[in-house]
Amino acid sequence: MVSDIISTVEFNYSGELLATGDKGGRVVIFQHEQESKNRPHLRGEYNVYSTFQSHEPEFDYLKSLEIEEKINKIRWLQQQNAAHFLLSTNDKTIKLWKISERDKRAEGYNLKDEDGRLRDPFRITSLRVPVLMPMDLMVEASPRRIFANAHTYHINSISVNSDHETYLSADDLRINLWHLEITDRSFNIVDIKPANMEELTEVITAAECHPHQCNVFVYSSSKGTIRLCDMRAGALCDRHSKFFEEPEDPSSRSFFSEIISSISDVKFSHSGRYMMTRDYLSVKVWDLNMENRPVETYQVHEYLRSKLCSLYENDCIFDKFECCWNGSDSAIMTGSYNNFFRMFDRNTRRDITLEASRESSKPRATLKPRKVSTGGKRKKDEISVDSLDFNKKILHTAWHPKDNVIAVAATNNLYIFQDKIN
Amino acid sequence: MAGADGDDSLYPIAVLIDELRNEDVQLRLNSIKKLSTIALALGVERTRTELLPFLTDTIYDEDEVLLALAEQLGNFTMLVGGPEYVHCLLPPLESLATVEETVVRDKAVESLRKISQEHSPVDLEVHFEPLVKRLASGDWFTSRTSACGLFSVCYPRVSSTVKAEIRQHFRTLCSDDTPMVRRAAASKLGEFAKVLELDYVKSDIISLFTALASDEQDSVRLLAVEACVSIATLLPQEDLETLVMPTLRQAAEDKSWRVRYMVADKFSELQKAVGPEITKNDLVPAFQNLLKDCEAEVRAAAANKVKEFCENLPEDNREQIIMTHILPCVKELVSDTNQHVKSALASVIMGLSTILGKDNTIEHLLPLFLAQLKDECPEVRLNIISNLDCVNEVIGIRQLSQSLLPAIVELAEDAKWRVRLAIIEYMPLLAGQLGVEFFDEKLNTLCMAWLIDHVYAIREAATCNLMKLVEKFGADWAQNTIVPKVLGMANDPNYLHRMTTLFCINALSDVCGRDITTKQMLPVVLKMSEDQVANVRFNVAKSLQKIGPVLEKITLQNQVKPVLDKLATDKDMDVKYFAHEALSVLELTYPAHD
């Protein structure tokens, strides 16, 4: 079903919960089961905890446009009490959801007896206060805030600030700052819309708040640049504090250079010292103190460079891949085609390609590394570039904040892999 | 309390109790609001043993319901059996204090504070303080933030050992991992300091204050600015320089414009708290810097405080300080690039004239007023015009009036209707200040022009304006100047203008009085009952209903009734309807009896 295509995956801060959003506007939350006592060598599994419809399709009457219900991003809030909170957004509207557990039910009525029949009002001789009795665990999701009408263009990112009271939302041309408790106002902090739309050459592709510094955020563009802004400096952050761009290699210039330089995702490292960007063919790690080039570059699928023409024709060149860090920032992961995903160890410089598909992953079996052959001679177990299935793309991946557990979304299937414990 | 057979007296209470769980949130809310009725019916013991435990565990509800519950519980002392049992209210309020909705939590804290007063000192130590400790060391941020609001109410009445514990808890929360908790601690710092012994204020609070004022989170630092005011008020003057001023100076130059904004916003309170000496030496230069800040929001906040700051300077060198230090900055602000800054300045600058006196006003301030009166931003001009009374007191309006008139005319004809609306609203005030001759000469035409504006809201405001002018200048003036013009519109080819005549008559009949209404206005109204346009005709009926009470009974019978009767048989449905309404309200439905 088309509406089941997973469009976003996100672990919460403790890693206990994993949320997925899909094209049909639904959010499914998985919970990590506690390790079972009889089989301590296996980690607990993730099982469905809650499912709810977050967004519905809408129609913008003023512009005669449909507003898709597809969930673009989910971001969790830090847990503040027994309930869990997350922000989910489609193209236009951001919603704050509360997910809470109920395990008690009130029993005992005054006006009805045990079978539900109404009692005679004149025969009520004493008052009954209801008593709470245990019941089967029920998980409820309720929308607590709706942040609407602040974006003319499609929202591509949301990011919660380290102050736990504000968050930003970004569309193609603007970034807004919201307070979690206030839905009828937001502050516009970045606006790159030119006075004359004919002069538009660059759009915002992703934005993120710094993990510790409440005043810093970054946004990436379709031209391969990243701007870092400081909210302390001024109310409007149109002028950046830092500008990150790698100078182009003139030898590899082609018709497609600008398109493949477009950054599809930007993520700060947990330490806050680095950030990672994903463009079409590579992942780059930047030191925030060095603006003129990245400190590390990893090729995701360089074998596609000679195929850019056909990838342009089938629109795959515009696919937006995400990337993520592991909890200790020692490894990074991103997706590719043919249900392949790639992991890079920053210390050893080793990389691995794995496949997320039913055939190659039986529960509890170890994944076999995959390899794509580019030359004429194809070894056994390798797959040739031309046999890759470009409809099987892994755009969304997530890494548990502490453990070596990863979630990989392959079209409408979610795969959860974990490190074997020895 | 049992009822006898055949007695339904318990029924309403039974309904209320059952509705505590009804699916409809309005019914649940209603029951919660009547919780005291339920408690009375149950009696104190059942309230304590059954009702409260039930309420403690059902915190799954909508905010409105939880908010109402938190409020009710604050008044429940007698319903649980008096101060001896007031501690029974603590468990439900404790759960409400962990809810994520700030309004509910705040109300729960408010109720806890209220009932803490009903606790005896022993009960405070046995029940209340342990609750505060539990909240303060709770796992959830929400419990820890609520704890911050409870320290100050239990501190005064507990033993010194417990006091030490409370101080320790507060210290811990000020350096909590979570910004949310540190924010709560910072916002309660001043209140807590007020109940502490002065020695502890100096030893404990100052270091906490300094730490919070240097917090890495902007949202925490800016709350420390507010705390600064409270703390400064508590300390003796000689300690301010060493204990408070370094932090305040740091805040006024903070890297984050939001913190500097807070300083600007609280400037008057800070000024009062630190006293005249420190103001002269420290706050004057700080204020100058804020007026010249690189961020417009900060300049605007400071500009808003110019008058108050100057007013509160010590009398002996007030004028000198203003002329030397403040006025030059103010002059710069008049031509600021940002319109909000100019607008903020315009709303207070006139107030300086009373402080500086006639000569300084004419020489230094008048050019500034005139410059702002010609500003390109309408809001700036409006703010000047709305504060003319200050200047009037000092130098009289004549000096300004030459510049004033073109400014008013320009605003009155602004393309944006909201700007036109704003100036209309000032018109009665201006008319009063400028006097009837000036008004007749220069402003009368404007007021009439507004009556035929394209925008209905303007026509409506203009009508109301006329009424207020008549209230000021009197019925005679009205008869000579505006009534003829208003009645003249009754022949306008545009039906909207003809209707405006009727609306004006509605507004003016009371203030003009019976005579003018009967002799001049009524004939016009009656004639319009034959208008081609139905809207005009039914408004005639409505007008007659409105002005009827001003007229004599004879007039109503002989002149109004025949016309209404005719309209009651009009071919238009609405005309008939309103005519019948009017006849009924004016009691003219049936022929008069002798």
Side-chain angles (χ1 to χ4, degrees), chain A residues 80-81 85 98 106 108-111 122-123 125 127 132 144-145 162-163 165 181 214 231-232 234-235, chain B residues 2 5-6 11 18 21 46 57 63 98 100-102 140-142 179-180 183 216-218 255 257 295:
Chain A
Q80 28 176 344
N81 63 7
F85 290 84
K98 173 181 177 181
Y109 277 98
N110 285 286
L111 305 177
F122 288 89
R123 294 211 172 278
T125 51
L127 294 171
L132 290 167
R144 306 299 291 164
R145 301 264 190 280
S162 57
D163 65 10
E165 62 175 9
E181 309 219 341
C214 59
M231 289 193 275
R232 281 185 190 149
Chain B
D5 262 75
Y11 180 69
D18 280 359
R21 303 139 61 184
R46 288 190 72 191
D57 284 331
D63 309 335
T98 62
E100 68 281 354
E101 277 311 319
T102 315
W140 305 129
F141 308 165
T142 47
M180 193 178 160
R183 279 196 292 273
E216 54 165 13
Q217 288 283 335
D218 296 358
K255 287 192 309 272
W257 68 268
E295 171 55 47

Short mmCIF file of all heavy atoms in Angstrom, two decimals, chain A residues 80-81 85 98 106 108-111 122-123 125 127 132 144-145 162-163 165 181 214 231-232 234-235, chain B residues 2 5-6 11 18 21 46 57 63 98 100-102 140-142 179-180 183 216-218 255 257 295:
data_model
loop_
_atom_site.label_atom_id
_atom_site.label_comp_id
_atom_site.label_asym_id
_atom_site.label_seq_id
_atom_site.Cartn_x
_atom_site.Cartn_y
_atom_site.Cartn_z
N GLN A 80 9.42 14.73 30.38
CA GLN A 80 9.29 15.58 31.55
C GLN A 80 8.44 14.97 32.66
O GLN A 80 8.52 15.41 33.80
CB GLN A 80 8.74 16.96 31.21
CG GLN A 80 7.86 17.02 30.01
CD GLN A 80 7.30 18.40 29.80
OE1 GLN A 80 7.32 19.26 30.68
NE2 GLN A 80 6.78 18.64 28.64
N ASN A 81 7.59 13.99 32.31
CA ASN A 81 6.88 13.26 33.35
C ASN A 81 6.58 11.87 32.82
O ASN A 81 7.23 11.43 31.87
CB ASN A 81 5.64 14.03 33.85
CG ASN A 81 4.61 14.22 32.78
OD1 ASN A 81 4.72 13.69 31.68
ND2 ASN A 81 3.58 15.00 33.08
N PHE A 85 6.21 12.83 24.78
CA PHE A 85 5.74 13.86 23.84
C PHE A 85 6.58 13.85 22.58
O PHE A 85 7.80 13.71 22.64
CB PHE A 85 5.84 15.25 24.49
CG PHE A 85 4.86 15.45 25.59
CD1 PHE A 85 5.13 15.00 26.86
CD2 PHE A 85 3.64 16.06 25.34
CE1 PHE A 85 4.20 15.16 27.89
CE2 PHE A 85 2.71 16.24 26.36
CZ PHE A 85 3.00 15.78 27.63
N LYS A 98 0.82 13.85 22.83
CA LYS A 98 1.13 13.26 24.13
C LYS A 98 0.75 11.80 24.07
O LYS A 98 -0.36 11.45 23.67
CB LYS A 98 0.31 13.97 25.21
CG LYS A 98 0.44 13.34 26.58
CD LYS A 98 -0.42 14.08 27.59
CE LYS A 98 -0.37 13.41 28.95
NZ LYS A 98 -1.21 14.10 29.93
N ALA A 106 -12.30 3.67 36.37
CA ALA A 106 -13.23 3.95 37.47
C ALA A 106 -14.42 3.01 37.39
O ALA A 106 -14.94 2.75 36.31
CB ALA A 106 -13.70 5.39 37.39
N GLY A 108 -18.24 1.82 39.36
CA GLY A 108 -19.27 2.13 40.37
C GLY A 108 -20.06 3.37 40.00
O GLY A 108 -19.53 4.48 40.00
N TYR A 109 -21.32 3.16 39.66
CA TYR A 109 -22.18 4.29 39.32
C TYR A 109 -23.25 4.44 40.39
O TYR A 109 -23.59 3.50 41.08
CB TYR A 109 -22.88 4.05 37.99
CG TYR A 109 -22.03 4.38 36.80
CD1 TYR A 109 -21.34 3.38 36.13
CD2 TYR A 109 -21.92 5.68 36.34
CE1 TYR A 109 -20.55 3.69 35.03
CE2 TYR A 109 -21.14 5.99 35.24
CZ TYR A 109 -20.46 4.99 34.59
OH TYR A 109 -19.69 5.28 33.52
N ASN A 110 -23.81 5.64 40.46
CA ASN A 110 -24.94 5.87 41.36
C ASN A 110 -26.26 5.63 40.66
O ASN A 110 -27.19 5.10 41.22
CB ASN A 110 -24.91 7.31 41.87
CG ASN A 110 -23.84 7.49 42.91
OD1 ASN A 110 -23.97 7.04 44.04
ND2 ASN A 110 -22.76 8.13 42.52
N LEU A 111 -26.31 6.08 39.40
CA LEU A 111 -27.60 6.08 38.71
C LEU A 111 -27.85 4.80 37.93
O LEU A 111 -28.94 4.58 37.44
CB LEU A 111 -27.67 7.27 37.74
CG LEU A 111 -27.39 8.61 38.39
CD1 LEU A 111 -27.41 9.69 37.33
CD2 LEU A 111 -28.42 8.92 39.46
N PHE A 122 -35.85 8.01 43.04
CA PHE A 122 -36.40 8.07 44.38
C PHE A 122 -35.89 6.95 45.26
O PHE A 122 -36.13 6.96 46.46
CB PHE A 122 -37.93 8.03 44.33
CG PHE A 122 -38.49 9.32 43.80
CD1 PHE A 122 -38.69 9.49 42.45
CD2 PHE A 122 -38.78 10.36 44.67
CE1 PHE A 122 -39.19 10.68 41.96
CE2 PHE A 122 -39.28 11.56 44.18
CZ PHE A 122 -39.49 11.72 42.82
N ARG A 123 -35.18 6.02 44.63
CA ARG A 123 -34.72 4.90 45.46
C ARG A 123 -33.22 4.98 45.73
O ARG A 123 -32.61 4.02 46.13
CB ARG A 123 -35.04 3.58 44.77
CG ARG A 123 -36.53 3.37 44.70
CD ARG A 123 -36.93 1.93 44.74
NE ARG A 123 -38.38 1.83 44.86
CZ ARG A 123 -39.04 1.94 46.02
NH1 ARG A 123 -38.37 2.13 47.14
NH2 ARG A 123 -40.35 1.86 46.05
N THR A 125 -30.64 5.72 48.03
CA THR A 125 -30.59 5.94 49.48
C THR A 125 -29.19 6.29 49.97
O THR A 125 -29.01 6.73 51.08
CB THR A 125 -31.04 4.68 50.23
OG1 THR A 125 -30.29 3.57 49.71
CG2 THR A 125 -32.53 4.42 50.02
N LEU A 127 -24.96 7.48 48.60
CA LEU A 127 -24.09 7.90 47.51
C LEU A 127 -22.88 6.98 47.39
O LEU A 127 -22.32 6.55 48.39
CB LEU A 127 -23.60 9.33 47.78
CG LEU A 127 -24.67 10.40 47.77
CD1 LEU A 127 -24.11 11.71 48.26
CD2 LEU A 127 -25.25 10.56 46.38
N LEU A 132 -11.20 3.20 41.76
CA LEU A 132 -10.35 2.89 40.60
C LEU A 132 -9.86 1.46 40.69
O LEU A 132 -9.26 1.05 41.68
CB LEU A 132 -9.18 3.87 40.57
CG LEU A 132 -9.58 5.29 40.21
CD1 LEU A 132 -8.47 6.26 40.51
CD2 LEU A 132 -9.97 5.38 38.74
N ARG A 144 -1.85 17.73 21.70
CA ARG A 144 -1.89 18.75 22.73
C ARG A 144 -1.77 20.16 22.17
O ARG A 144 -2.20 21.11 22.79
CB ARG A 144 -0.74 18.52 23.72
CG ARG A 144 -0.70 17.14 24.30
CD ARG A 144 -1.93 16.80 25.07
NE ARG A 144 -2.01 17.57 26.28
CZ ARG A 144 -3.12 17.71 27.01
NH1 ARG A 144 -4.21 17.13 26.63
NH2 ARG A 144 -3.10 18.43 28.09
N ARG A 145 -1.06 20.28 21.03
CA ARG A 145 -0.92 21.61 20.44
C ARG A 145 -0.92 21.43 18.93
O ARG A 145 -0.38 20.44 18.42
CB ARG A 145 0.44 22.24 20.78
CG ARG A 145 0.73 22.41 22.22
CD ARG A 145 0.39 23.80 22.72
NE ARG A 145 0.91 23.99 24.05
CZ ARG A 145 0.34 23.55 25.17
NH1 ARG A 145 -0.79 22.88 25.10
NH2 ARG A 145 0.92 23.74 26.33
N SER A 162 17.82 23.10 22.83
CA SER A 162 18.32 22.54 24.09
C SER A 162 17.70 23.24 25.30
O SER A 162 17.89 22.80 26.43
CB SER A 162 19.84 22.68 24.16
OG SER A 162 20.21 24.04 24.01
N ASP A 163 16.96 24.33 25.09
CA ASP A 163 16.31 24.97 26.24
C ASP A 163 15.00 24.29 26.62
O ASP A 163 14.37 24.65 27.59
CB ASP A 163 16.10 26.48 26.01
CG ASP A 163 15.13 26.80 24.89
OD1 ASP A 163 14.45 25.88 24.38
OD2 ASP A 163 15.04 27.96 24.49
N GLU A 165 12.19 24.63 25.57
CA GLU A 165 10.93 25.35 25.49
C GLU A 165 10.64 25.92 24.11
O GLU A 165 9.54 26.34 23.84
CB GLU A 165 10.81 26.46 26.55
CG GLU A 165 11.80 27.56 26.50
CD GLU A 165 11.52 28.66 27.53
OE1 GLU A 165 10.65 28.51 28.42
OE2 GLU A 165 12.19 29.70 27.43
N GLU A 181 4.58 26.24 24.09
CA GLU A 181 3.28 26.49 24.70
C GLU A 181 2.41 27.47 23.92
O GLU A 181 1.26 27.68 24.27
CB GLU A 181 3.47 27.02 26.12
CG GLU A 181 4.39 26.16 26.94
CD GLU A 181 3.95 26.00 28.37
OE1 GLU A 181 3.15 26.82 28.84
OE2 GLU A 181 4.41 25.04 29.01
N CYS A 214 22.05 26.84 23.13
CA CYS A 214 20.68 27.22 22.82
C CYS A 214 20.57 28.30 21.76
O CYS A 214 19.50 28.55 21.23
CB CYS A 214 19.98 27.70 24.08
SG CYS A 214 20.80 29.10 24.83
N MET A 231 21.50 33.05 17.42
CA MET A 231 20.30 33.81 17.77
C MET A 231 20.55 34.89 18.80
O MET A 231 19.67 35.70 19.06
CB MET A 231 19.21 32.85 18.26
CG MET A 231 18.65 32.01 17.13
SD MET A 231 17.15 31.16 17.59
CE MET A 231 17.82 29.70 18.35
N ARG A 232 21.76 34.88 19.38
CA ARG A 232 22.04 35.93 20.36
C ARG A 232 22.34 37.25 19.66
O ARG A 232 22.14 38.32 20.21
CB ARG A 232 23.27 35.56 21.19
CG ARG A 232 22.97 34.60 22.25
CD ARG A 232 24.18 34.38 23.10
NE ARG A 232 23.91 33.26 23.99
CZ ARG A 232 24.81 32.42 24.44
NH1 ARG A 232 26.07 32.57 24.09
NH2 ARG A 232 24.48 31.44 25.24
N GLY A 234 21.18 38.75 17.00
CA GLY A 234 20.10 39.64 16.60
C GLY A 234 18.81 38.88 16.50
O GLY A 234 18.78 37.65 16.47
N ALA A 235 17.72 39.63 16.45
CA ALA A 235 16.41 38.99 16.38
C ALA A 235 16.23 38.28 15.04
O ALA A 235 15.64 37.22 14.96
CB ALA A 235 15.32 40.02 16.58
N ALA B 2 -28.34 9.29 54.43
CA ALA B 2 -29.29 8.52 53.62
C ALA B 2 -30.59 9.27 53.51
O ALA B 2 -31.00 9.98 54.44
CB ALA B 2 -29.51 7.16 54.27
N ASP B 5 -37.19 6.63 51.92
CA ASP B 5 -37.83 6.14 50.71
C ASP B 5 -38.70 7.20 50.10
O ASP B 5 -39.42 7.90 50.82
CB ASP B 5 -38.73 4.95 51.08
CG ASP B 5 -37.99 3.66 50.79
OD1 ASP B 5 -37.08 3.34 51.58
OD2 ASP B 5 -38.30 3.04 49.78
N GLY B 6 -38.66 7.30 48.76
CA GLY B 6 -39.52 8.27 48.12
C GLY B 6 -38.92 9.67 48.16
O GLY B 6 -39.55 10.64 47.79
N TYR B 11 -30.54 12.55 44.64
CA TYR B 11 -30.43 12.36 43.19
C TYR B 11 -29.48 13.36 42.52
O TYR B 11 -28.60 12.95 41.77
CB TYR B 11 -31.83 12.40 42.56
CG TYR B 11 -31.80 12.21 41.07
CD1 TYR B 11 -31.46 10.98 40.52
CD2 TYR B 11 -32.08 13.27 40.21
CE1 TYR B 11 -31.41 10.80 39.14
CE2 TYR B 11 -32.05 13.09 38.84
CZ TYR B 11 -31.71 11.87 38.30
OH TYR B 11 -31.66 11.70 36.94
N ASP B 18 -21.69 10.79 39.22
CA ASP B 18 -21.56 9.98 38.01
C ASP B 18 -20.97 10.80 36.86
O ASP B 18 -20.22 10.29 36.04
CB ASP B 18 -22.91 9.39 37.62
CG ASP B 18 -23.25 8.16 38.45
OD1 ASP B 18 -22.43 7.78 39.30
OD2 ASP B 18 -24.33 7.59 38.25
N ARG B 21 -17.28 11.18 35.53
CA ARG B 21 -16.64 10.34 34.54
C ARG B 21 -17.34 10.36 33.20
O ARG B 21 -17.09 9.52 32.35
CB ARG B 21 -16.64 8.88 35.01
CG ARG B 21 -15.99 8.69 36.32
CD ARG B 21 -16.78 7.74 37.11
NE ARG B 21 -16.83 6.47 36.42
CZ ARG B 21 -17.53 5.46 36.87
NH1 ARG B 21 -18.24 5.58 37.98
NH2 ARG B 21 -17.55 4.33 36.21
N ARG B 46 -16.12 10.67 54.48
CA ARG B 46 -16.15 10.02 53.17
C ARG B 46 -15.37 10.83 52.15
O ARG B 46 -14.76 10.29 51.23
CB ARG B 46 -17.58 9.80 52.69
CG ARG B 46 -18.30 8.71 53.47
CD ARG B 46 -19.62 8.35 52.84
NE ARG B 46 -19.40 7.61 51.61
CZ ARG B 46 -20.37 7.33 50.73
NH1 ARG B 46 -21.59 7.76 50.93
NH2 ARG B 46 -20.09 6.64 49.63
N ASP B 57 -6.02 9.79 41.75
CA ASP B 57 -5.55 8.93 40.67
C ASP B 57 -6.15 9.23 39.31
O ASP B 57 -5.70 8.69 38.31
CB ASP B 57 -5.82 7.46 41.03
CG ASP B 57 -4.79 6.97 42.04
OD1 ASP B 57 -3.67 7.50 42.02
OD2 ASP B 57 -5.13 6.08 42.85
N ASP B 63 -7.12 19.56 30.29
CA ASP B 63 -6.57 20.64 31.11
C ASP B 63 -7.61 21.41 31.87
O ASP B 63 -7.42 21.75 33.04
CB ASP B 63 -5.87 21.70 30.26
CG ASP B 63 -4.88 21.10 29.31
OD1 ASP B 63 -4.41 20.01 29.61
OD2 ASP B 63 -4.61 21.77 28.31
N THR B 98 2.51 17.46 38.98
CA THR B 98 3.46 16.82 38.07
C THR B 98 2.94 16.81 36.63
O THR B 98 3.57 16.26 35.74
CB THR B 98 3.73 15.36 38.46
OG1 THR B 98 2.50 14.64 38.36
CG2 THR B 98 4.25 15.25 39.87
N GLU B 100 2.09 18.02 32.86
CA GLU B 100 2.96 18.80 31.99
C GLU B 100 2.37 20.16 31.61
O GLU B 100 3.10 21.06 31.24
CB GLU B 100 3.32 18.03 30.71
CG GLU B 100 2.17 17.80 29.77
CD GLU B 100 1.28 16.65 30.20
OE1 GLU B 100 1.63 15.96 31.18
OE2 GLU B 100 0.23 16.45 29.56
N GLU B 101 1.06 20.30 31.69
CA GLU B 101 0.46 21.58 31.34
C GLU B 101 0.80 22.63 32.40
O GLU B 101 0.40 22.48 33.57
CB GLU B 101 -1.07 21.47 31.27
CG GLU B 101 -1.60 20.95 29.96
CD GLU B 101 -1.03 21.64 28.74
OE1 GLU B 101 -0.88 22.87 28.75
OE2 GLU B 101 -0.72 20.92 27.78
N THR B 102 1.50 23.68 31.99
CA THR B 102 1.95 24.68 32.95
C THR B 102 0.81 25.31 33.73
O THR B 102 0.93 25.51 34.94
CB THR B 102 2.72 25.79 32.20
OG1 THR B 102 3.60 25.16 31.29
CG2 THR B 102 3.52 26.64 33.15
N TRP B 140 10.82 13.41 37.66
CA TRP B 140 10.29 14.20 36.55
C TRP B 140 10.62 15.67 36.69
O TRP B 140 10.55 16.23 37.79
CB TRP B 140 8.77 14.03 36.47
CG TRP B 140 8.32 12.61 36.37
CD1 TRP B 140 7.38 12.01 37.16
CD2 TRP B 140 8.77 11.60 35.46
NE1 TRP B 140 7.21 10.71 36.78
CE2 TRP B 140 8.04 10.42 35.75
CE3 TRP B 140 9.71 11.57 34.43
CZ2 TRP B 140 8.23 9.24 35.03
CZ3 TRP B 140 9.90 10.39 33.72
CH2 TRP B 140 9.16 9.25 34.03
N PHE B 141 10.91 16.32 35.56
CA PHE B 141 11.21 17.75 35.59
C PHE B 141 10.03 18.49 36.17
O PHE B 141 10.19 19.49 36.85
CB PHE B 141 11.38 18.37 34.20
CG PHE B 141 12.33 17.70 33.27
CD1 PHE B 141 12.31 18.01 31.94
CD2 PHE B 141 13.26 16.77 33.71
CE1 PHE B 141 13.18 17.41 31.04
CE2 PHE B 141 14.13 16.17 32.82
CZ PHE B 141 14.09 16.50 31.48
N THR B 142 8.83 18.04 35.81
CA THR B 142 7.65 18.78 36.21
C THR B 142 7.53 18.83 37.74
O THR B 142 7.17 19.87 38.29
CB THR B 142 6.37 18.16 35.62
OG1 THR B 142 6.42 16.74 35.83
CG2 THR B 142 6.29 18.43 34.14
N PRO B 179 17.24 22.79 31.89
CA PRO B 179 16.99 24.23 31.86
C PRO B 179 15.61 24.58 32.44
O PRO B 179 15.46 25.61 33.09
CB PRO B 179 17.02 24.59 30.38
CG PRO B 179 17.69 23.46 29.70
CD PRO B 179 17.56 22.26 30.55
N MET B 180 14.65 23.72 32.23
CA MET B 180 13.28 23.98 32.70
C MET B 180 13.26 24.19 34.21
O MET B 180 12.59 25.08 34.73
CB MET B 180 12.45 22.77 32.33
CG MET B 180 11.00 22.92 32.44
SD MET B 180 10.32 21.36 31.89
CE MET B 180 8.73 21.45 32.59
N ARG B 183 15.08 27.35 35.19
CA ARG B 183 14.23 28.52 34.93
C ARG B 183 13.24 28.72 36.07
O ARG B 183 13.00 29.84 36.51
CB ARG B 183 13.46 28.36 33.61
CG ARG B 183 14.26 28.69 32.38
CD ARG B 183 13.36 28.88 31.18
NE ARG B 183 12.71 27.65 30.75
CZ ARG B 183 13.25 26.79 29.91
NH1 ARG B 183 14.45 27.00 29.42
NH2 ARG B 183 12.59 25.70 29.56
N GLU B 216 24.51 28.92 30.94
CA GLU B 216 24.75 28.85 29.50
C GLU B 216 23.47 29.03 28.69
O GLU B 216 23.51 29.39 27.53
CB GLU B 216 25.40 27.53 29.14
CG GLU B 216 24.61 26.35 29.66
CD GLU B 216 25.01 25.03 29.03
OE1 GLU B 216 26.06 24.98 28.37
OE2 GLU B 216 24.24 24.06 29.20
N GLN B 217 22.33 28.77 29.32
CA GLN B 217 21.06 28.92 28.61
C GLN B 217 20.57 30.35 28.73
O GLN B 217 20.40 30.88 29.82
CB GLN B 217 20.00 27.98 29.22
CG GLN B 217 20.22 26.51 28.91
CD GLN B 217 19.80 26.15 27.50
OE1 GLN B 217 18.98 26.82 26.91
NE2 GLN B 217 20.39 25.10 26.97
N ASP B 218 20.30 30.96 27.57
CA ASP B 218 19.81 32.35 27.56
C ASP B 218 18.53 32.48 28.38
O ASP B 218 18.33 33.47 29.08
CB ASP B 218 19.48 32.79 26.13
CG ASP B 218 20.72 32.83 25.23
OD1 ASP B 218 21.82 32.55 25.72
OD2 ASP B 218 20.56 33.14 24.05
N LYS B 255 25.86 38.89 25.80
CA LYS B 255 25.97 38.62 24.36
C LYS B 255 24.60 38.43 23.72
O LYS B 255 24.44 38.62 22.52
CB LYS B 255 26.77 37.33 24.13
CG LYS B 255 28.23 37.47 24.38
CD LYS B 255 29.04 36.28 23.87
CE LYS B 255 28.57 34.92 24.32
NZ LYS B 255 29.13 34.47 25.59
N TRP B 257 20.89 39.32 22.92
CA TRP B 257 20.06 40.52 22.93
C TRP B 257 18.84 40.33 23.80
O TRP B 257 18.31 41.29 24.35
CB TRP B 257 19.66 40.91 21.50
CG TRP B 257 18.73 39.94 20.83
CD1 TRP B 257 19.08 38.90 20.05
CD2 TRP B 257 17.30 39.94 20.89
NE1 TRP B 257 17.97 38.23 19.62
CE2 TRP B 257 16.86 38.85 20.12
CE3 TRP B 257 16.36 40.73 21.52
CZ2 TRP B 257 15.52 38.55 19.95
CZ3 TRP B 257 15.01 40.45 21.36
CH2 TRP B 257 14.60 39.36 20.59
N GLU B 295 20.77 45.93 18.50
CA GLU B 295 19.54 45.21 18.18
C GLU B 295 18.34 46.14 18.39
O GLU B 295 18.14 46.68 19.48
CB GLU B 295 19.43 43.97 19.06
CG GLU B 295 18.12 43.24 18.99
CD GLU B 295 17.69 42.82 17.60
OE1 GLU B 295 18.53 42.27 16.87
OE2 GLU B 295 16.53 43.10 17.23
#
